Amino acid sequence: MTSSGMPGPGSPHTARPPHTFRTVFPVLALCWLAVFFDGMDVNIYGAVMPHMLDDAGLGLTPATAGTIGSWTAFGMLFGALAAGNLTDWLGRRSTLVASVVLFSLGSAVCALAAGPALFGAGRFVAGLGLGGLTPLALAMVLEFAPPGRAALTTGLLMSSYHAGGMAATGIGLGLAPAAGWRAVFWAGVLPAVIAVPLLLKYLPESPGVLLARGDRTRADAVADRYGLPRPTPVQAPAAGAKGRLAAVRALFAAGSRRATLLLWLASFCGLVLVYGVSTWLPQMMRASGYGLSSSVTFLMVINGGGIVGMFVAGRAADRFGAVRISALWFALTAAGALLLKSHLPLGVTYVVVALTGVWLFSAQVMVYAVTDTVYRDSERAAGLGMVTGVGRMGAAFGPWLIGILAATGSQARGFTAFALAGLIGAAAVALVPLVRRTRRDDRSAPRDVAATG
């Protein structure tokens, strides 16, 4: 095997291994590691925000803190848009590596920042890297996922985001009180040191991308190495600006245009929740009367619930359908947010926060699994990219909205806003199978939503 994860000469003629989790484990593990560092970077800000607000020399206010949280999301939006061009030029593997390098660089800028402006610039740079990473990692694992295990594979991958969030909280609790908040952002440079060499050495390129670039030999070699079916032209994502434009137009073809809009709405609501909570939960709980250490610990607890939720939701979605599970999880998130609005005893609050984490994060991830049931193989990357890209608007809106509420001393209303986002997300997902028409005579058509959700 070569340093790029490619089989050596002649290996396409060897016996094909079975297409199971074991054969594709290297791809899943490396994408898991990349998304782990994504989750760590996103949650670092929320983990240290109370300390940053207490740092008079930095000059950060609640309103400015919310705006900076939105800058990260805007960077992610631009990063997601740029990732398509970079994928055509570099491929998915190299674009993933570039994403990791970029958000590590952004963390270094934040650690050096003397004021809110430079700190915000660092968060924007980090967002540029983060924006392309998750859609690319999701597209990779869905391409390599064993048959009938798309939802479980998605859940397994995204459990890493919450493991990263827990790591960020642990680093914040351990470093910030003694070494200051800047030390926590220096820890955010570690992804470039740890993940980049592993990705470069062991992660294979996407067979579909290789075929789209005209490299049939390497595409077949990767597929044979990992037990995948050899890619066909209809499964290959279109390359170039014209190809991507055609793929985006296909999202609005008869039978999928309404589902596309509903998926965008669900993703928007889901990322309002994910980024609003990741950025503001410690400060919101602190404003509700809990101590500083307890308030930061809530972020670790909710991410711990998120890990459990990914495994539960993935298995449940493979059995009962991603649509049903995503809609139910959104509704339960709304209930959890309303409970957190009340000042409950500390032990009860920990339980409610953990359960809300079980539902909140996997509700959003199951939207990605629903996307996989709506679009054809050749449209999957464009569909997933647009769902995550439009969702980034929610990622910008959530932190900004809670920042405005915090500036007026109305943080408690943030829980009401989270509950409303959960209810709208539930309704949007539930309507997807009702508005989409499946063309059963087209073998390249997506899987039937009724069968999978």
Side-chain angles (χ1 to χ4, degrees):
M1 186 169 175
T2 67
S3 63
S4 64
M6 289 292 300
S11 57
H13 302 291
T14 62
R16 180 193 299 272
H19 188 188
T20 64
F21 276 118
R22 178 176 295 181
T23 58
V24 300
F25 176 79
V27 177
L28 302 183
L30 289 167
C31 288
W32 193 98
L33 179 65
V35 177
F36 170 89
F37 284 122
D38 179 319
M40 192 177 87
D41 188 277
V42 169
N43 284 273
I44 275 179
Y45 185 34
V48 300
M49 185 187 294
H51 298 279
M52 295 177 68
L53 290 171
D54 290 343
D55 183 355
L58 181 63
L60 190 68
T61 66
T64 304
T67 300
I68 289 174
S70 299
W71 289 358
T72 308
F74 281 121
M76 293 171 80
L77 177 59
F78 288 113
L81 294 174
N85 289 320
L86 287 174
T87 299
D88 286 345
W89 179 35
L90 300 174
R92 281 182 184 161
R93 185 186 65 145
S94 296
T95 305
L96 272 173
V97 170
S99 297
V100 174
V101 170
L102 203 54
F103 71 70
S104 297
L105 175 63
S107 191
V109 172
C110 289
L112 294 168
L118 185 58
F119 182 85
R123 293 308 291 164
F124 180 81
V125 170
L128 291 173
L130 296 167
L133 191 147
T134 298
L136 285 170
L138 282 166
M140 285 286 284
V141 299
L142 285 172
E143 183 176 11
F144 281 78
R149 290 291 181 264
L152 178 58
T153 304
T154 302
L156 288 171
L157 173 70
M158 295 309 295
S159 69
S160 62
Y161 175 93
H162 307 292
M166 294 181 71
T169 308
I171 293 170
L173 287 170
L175 283 182
W181 60 266
R182 296 180 189 276
V184 180
F185 281 98
W186 280 120
V189 181
L190 289 175
V193 178
I194 297 173
V196 167
L198 294 173
L199 292 169
L200 285 173
K201 186 172 184 179
Y202 296 112
L203 185 68
E205 183 54 272
S206 154
V209 169
L210 289 171
L211 181 60
R213 296 166 71 182
D215 196 341
R216 160 64 73 180
T217 300
R218 292 182 66 209
D220 289 347
V222 173
D224 291 343
R225 172 73 186 180
Y226 293 93
L228 278 63
R230 291 187 173 186
T232 62
V234 73
Q235 294 172 312
K242 290 184 178 179
R244 286 193 300 277
L245 182 60
V248 171
R249 284 200 302 265
L251 308 184
F252 292 91
S256 61
R257 64 171 67 97
R258 294 176 184 174
T260 292
L261 295 175
L262 288 170
L263 288 168
W264 289 3
L265 177 59
S267 183
F268 176 90
C269 292
L271 290 179
V272 164
L273 290 164
V274 169
Y275 285 87
V277 167
S278 296
T279 303
W280 280 103
L281 181 65
Q283 187 62 22
M284 289 171 69
M285 301 305 284
R286 188 185 186 191
S288 296
Y290 298 95
L292 176 59
S293 61
S294 295
S295 297
V296 175
T297 303
F298 286 132
L299 191 60
M300 178 178 287
V301 171
I302 202 167
N303 276 291
I307 293 176
V308 175
M310 291 302 168
F311 289 99
V312 173
R315 293 186 66 87
D318 279 335
R319 180 174 180 181
F320 300 108
V323 168
R324 295 187 185 96
I325 297 304
S326 182
L328 176 60
W329 261 228
F330 267 121
L332 290 171
T333 298
L338 290 176
L339 284 174
L340 290 176
K341 190 175 181 179
S342 305
H343 188 92
L344 302 170
L346 184 60
V348 176
T349 303
Y350 276 124
V351 172
V352 174
V353 168
L355 289 174
T356 303
V358 170
W359 304 318
L360 186 158
F361 299 105
S362 48
Q364 165 64 21
V365 171
M366 289 303 106
V367 173
Y368 302 145
V370 174
T371 301
D372 190 51
T373 72
V374 171
Y375 302 120
R376 298 173 176 84
D377 290 338
S378 60
E379 301 163 0
R380 181 191 295 132
L384 194 57
M386 291 299 294
V387 167
T388 55
V390 172
R392 300 302 182 200
M393 298 182 198
F397 181 74
W400 172 83
L401 174 62
I402 307 303
I404 295 298
L405 294 174
T408 60
S410 304
Q411 289 98 326
R413 294 184 181 179
F415 293 112
T416 303
F418 291 153
L420 183 60
L423 292 175
I424 295 174
V429 171
L431 288 172
V432 168
L434 301 180
V435 302
R436 178 184 162 272
R437 297 192 305 272
T438 303
R439 292 187 286 179
R440 299 179 183 274
D441 59 340
D442 187 345
R443 291 187 179 182
S444 66
R447 292 173 287 281
D448 189 358
V449 174
T452 56

